[in-house]
Amino acid sequence: MSTLTAILNPSPDGTLHLPLPAGWKPQQAVRVKAVLEPVLDNPGEAAESASLKGFGCLRGLIWMAPDFDEPLEDFGEYSA
């Protein structure tokens, strides 16, 4: 079993063509397990998006005003 990592450009019809290693016979059956992920032009973008996954990733970025639960003056006539 061999591991092959490749970045493939799709053909105009949307198909991907995977090159086989030189030592393989064309008559052999090949099982392919693939994970499709887009290739980013800027590798820093992937690190930023990966850091915003999971519980607590937005800690310190979201806050509520101290008077959040106080009644609003605009709705005084409805709450009286």
Side-chain angles (χ1 to χ4, degrees):
M1 183 164 117
S2 297
T3 301
L4 175 70
T5 302
I7 296 176
L8 305 173
N9 293 318
S11 298
D13 64 353
T15 59
L16 297 174
H17 301 278
L18 180 66
L20 295 176
W24 287 25
K25 299 176 189 172
Q27 295 85 13
Q28 288 178 311
V30 177
R31 175 178 289 134
V32 176
K33 183 191 281 188
V35 176
L36 300 178
E37 55 188 43
V39 177
L40 301 175
D41 293 333
N42 184 1
E45 291 178 13
E48 291 175 11
S49 64
S51 65
L52 292 178
K53 292 182 180 176
F55 293 109
C57 66
L58 297 177
R59 181 176 288 156
L61 299 177
I62 299 174
W63 60 275
M64 292 173 54
D67 63 345
F68 178 79
D69 289 330
E70 299 298 321
L72 298 173
E73 293 176 11
D74 296 340
F75 297 107
E77 63 187 72
Y78 300 107
S79 61

